[in-house]
Amino acid sequence: MILVNYLAAVALLCIGLYAVLTRRNMIKMVMGLSLMEASTYLFMISLAYRAGSTAPVLLNPPPGKSTQSLVHGNVADPVLQNFCLTAVVIGVAVTAVFLSVVVRIVQHYRTLDSDRVRDLRG
Amino acid sequence: MTIPALASLLPLPVAIPLAGGVTAPLLARVSRRLTVAVSLIALTGSAAILLLAAPTVFGGRVIAHYMGHWTPVHGQVLGVAFAADPFGLLVALAAAIIGGILLLYTLSELGGLGRRELGGYACLFQLLIAAVIGAALTADLINLFVWFEVAALSSYGLAGFFLERPIALESAFKLLVLTTLASFAVFIGAGLEYAQHGALNFAQLHHALAGHVTAPDTIALGLMLAGFATKAGLVPFHGWLPDVHTAAPGPVNALFSAIMDSIGVVAIARLVFQVYGTGSTPVLGLLMTLGIVSALLGAIMALAQDDLKRLLAYDTISQIGIIVVGFAAGNPAGVAGAVYHLVNHAAFKALLFLAAGAVVHRTGLTSLSQMGGLARSMPVVAAAFVLGSLSIAGIPPLNGYVSLSLIHEGLQQDHQTIPYLLTLASQVITAAALGRAAWLAFFRPRGQDYEWRERLRPGMLTGLVSLGACCVAFGAAGPLVLRRLMAPAAAGLLAPARYASAVLAGSGPIPVLRVPFDYGSPAELASVAATVAVAAVLAWVYLRIREPLPVRALRALHTGSANDYAAYAVTGILAVVAVLSLA
């Protein structure tokens, strides 16, 4: 059931957002953002789903299907899956930068509490 | 040069700075001079190729290139397309040229950087410029998202680059949180659009959306607008902007304010005018509201700041708001004025941030209350700051006058009296804020002497003088610039069908748009005089009173907590989507 995917994506998004909005621990905020990111992947993959479809590979079609029927017919959307690959790569880079910034903040301020790292305000 | 040959050069302005950025850390191991030289050559080369395309494109022809020569089949574009329309080319040119000036300035101000730092800095700098040029030229939704992310990643690096002040780390964290949220919004929006129409190309999406805009399309538009508004720094997505600008050194501020923000503005303008069209959704009203709120809040917060760079950062929010108001007017005068103001903002805000950076560099002071009397010891910097302030205030014959008059004209043509008055009010407050800053920093008498830090170097003076010259030239030659550059740019935005057919056909004409502009319009001159007079009084009064209650309340809203700013941004995203879907 594809609906479950969407519900799971929304649930993940909400859990991640809850963490970002309410947790003051910066590591937990990064985890929340990672959860939200995972939910966008799940959402994209679910958008690419077609009922009863196969993988969009035209060589060596599975038994009972010809290349021609795949071209005209029922395959999962490869473009949305590509989006996910792109976003996964970007997401890894962003998380790395995120965590290194948090590490440097902890070294300077000796705290993980985002509420105590707010010299800039007003 | 034939048009297909010209079009096939379009990826180069992006590829050259990318290559320069990748090689910079390697070159820095060999020699520092070499790194600087190669980086400058990369940006100059990029600008030169853009200039090569300029006569054709500003002559009223959109040219398109398909990556890997995957040309469209039956109106379907499978690959990524790059299309140079006058608007995109203008922003790309501004980014390449002003980026070059800023790089020269930085490497001169930060002459003491070590090899590794210099290599990393030159790399991030060029990546950011490449991302802006890519975003300005691309005609593909997911490619736009990728440039957004490239710019975001390099901005994280630049914001946290100079660790001598821990606040740089704090600001980098807020930038990361807000930009990551924005990237989710853009990503989901782009994915939804693709799932709806099976297309990513702007032209194909334009054709698909021309008939009917369904509910998922509207939600996608709202998400993407909110995401790009974060990059542009519109209220309520602006939490990162003042903090990042307070902590970073002058040239990085100038880069962020003048160049990086334009990614957001370009993307918003393209989506609204060239992809969705303005008729089917209440998007112009939404942009008008966002613009006016940003213009007013930015101006009021600027008036209340003590930190010089933070003041300028809030003013950036205000100016981006004014630009968005111009786009939201939706008529030729307003859109041409907005495009004009975007370019002008790049020039005068870069100038102001460089002047502020020079003050910090020379004296080591950041807060206005400790400064004073700097005009005597730093006359060039003082002159640059005053010139920039006068440009923003819209004093003829400087560049701000022309663009602001056009935006006013656009608002008055459609009898949008309340937006017009609110825009004027925000300008008065902006002028008062900058006047107050100029007085406190440069002209107020100050008793004790300064502890002078570093000297100003020739590269820094070159930067200040060339940006100042841009401000004067774009003002003095206003009607010419308008006719040759800004009117074609507005024409491309206001003729989405022509843009779409050109993107699919490889090239195509856009109609000629005549935007009348009267340099000596008595009404406009009177409004400038009134603005300056009221602003002077306001600045004088504000220097003498305690902080008023509304200002204190607004400051209290900017709590500095990443959680709060994330909450504002999420509320903003939901509100934008809700307004577009329900109204």
Side-chain angles (χ1 to χ4, degrees), chain B residues 304-513:
Chain B
Q305 294 304 315
D306 184 45
D307 186 297
L308 179 57
K309 285 183 181 169
R310 204 172 173 76
L311 184 150
L312 293 176
Y314 274 112
D315 184 58
T316 294
I317 297 174
S318 173
Q319 296 305 313
I320 298 285
I322 302 257
I323 293 169
V324 169
V325 166
F327 279 122
N331 49 23
V335 174
V339 178
Y340 207 142
H341 205 61
L342 184 62
V343 177
N344 287 348
H345 177 251
F348 55 57
K349 195 44 72 66
L351 180 67
L352 283 170
F353 268 122
L354 291 191
V359 169
V360 176
H361 185 69
R362 192 86 209 279
T363 64
L365 300 176
T366 54
S367 74
L368 288 169
S369 53
Q370 294 169 357
M371 296 179 193
L374 284 168
R376 185 171 298 165
S377 43
M378 307 171 76
V380 178
V381 174
F385 193 91
V386 170
L387 185 74
S389 308
L390 292 179
S391 299
I392 291 192
I395 311 289
L398 296 170
N399 56 3
Y401 171 69
V402 187
S403 48
L404 289 172
S405 312
L406 284 168
I407 292 174
H408 294 165
E409 170 77 24
L411 290 173
Q412 281 170 320
Q413 269 176 15
D414 288 354
H415 306 289
Q416 308 208 16
T417 315
I418 295 174
Y420 172 62
L421 292 177
L422 291 175
T423 311
L424 270 188
S426 84
Q427 269 174 254
V428 168
I429 304 172
T430 300
L434 288 168
R436 170 178 165 269
W439 163 254
L440 288 177
F442 293 105
F443 300 108
R444 174 177 59 152
R446 183 182 195 260
Q448 76 261 44
D449 210 13
Y450 285 96
E451 260 182 64
W452 297 112
R453 296 272 190 90
E454 315 237 1
R455 291 197 56 74
L456 295 185
R457 292 158 199 267
M460 301 170 71
L461 288 182
T462 319
L464 290 176
V465 170
S466 47
L467 286 170
C470 282
C471 287
V472 176
F474 271 65
L480 183 71
V481 173
L482 178 65
R483 195 172 67 240
R484 290 283 167 79
L485 304 180
M486 307 304 168
L493 285 175
L494 292 172
R498 297 285 191 88
Y499 173 80
S501 61
V503 168
L504 290 179
S507 90
I510 45 172
V512 179
L513 185 71

Side-chain angles (χ1 to χ4, degrees), chain A residues 13 17 19-27 29-30 32-34 36-41 43-44 47 50 77-80 83-84 86-87 90 93-95 97-102 104-106 108-109 113-115 117-122, chain B residues 142 145-146 149 153 156-157 160 163 165-174 176-177 180-181 184 187-192 194-195 198 200 242-244 246-247 301 305 310 314 554-556 558-568 570:
Chain A
L13 187 84
L17 190 60
V20 174
L21 296 184
T22 62
R23 298 296 102 175
R24 287 173 10 191
N25 183 320
M26 283 185 276
I27 299 278
M29 291 176 74
V30 178
L33 285 166
S34 293
M36 291 176 76
E37 200 175 295
S39 81
T40 64
Y41 304 152
F43 180 69
M44 289 289 162
L47 280 178
R50 306 276 178 278
D77 194 328
V79 176
L80 285 166
F83 285 8
C84 282
T86 315
I90 295 173
V94 171
T95 309
V97 176
F98 233 131
L99 289 176
S100 55
V101 166
V102 172
R104 299 303 293 260
I105 289 180
V106 173
H108 275 289
Y109 288 83
D113 188 344
S114 75
D115 215 39
V117 187
R118 46 190 197 107
D119 294 338
L120 296 166
R121 56 179 119 170
Chain B
I142 210 71
F145 167 71
V146 171
E149 285 286 6
L153 269 172
Y156 305 151
L163 301 173
R165 301 167 79 191
I167 51 171
L169 292 168
E170 180 194 336
S171 71
F173 184 75
K174 290 175 200 169
L176 269 155
V177 170
T180 309
L181 282 175
F184 296 154
F187 186 55
I188 296 178
L192 267 180
Y194 176 79
L200 288 169
D243 293 2
V244 167
T246 312
M301 289 299 289
Q305 294 304 315
R310 204 172 173 76
Y314 274 112
L554 276 181
R555 279 169 82 105
H558 294 82
T559 54
S561 147
N563 304 95
D564 290 349
Y565 289 167
Y568 299 157
V570 170

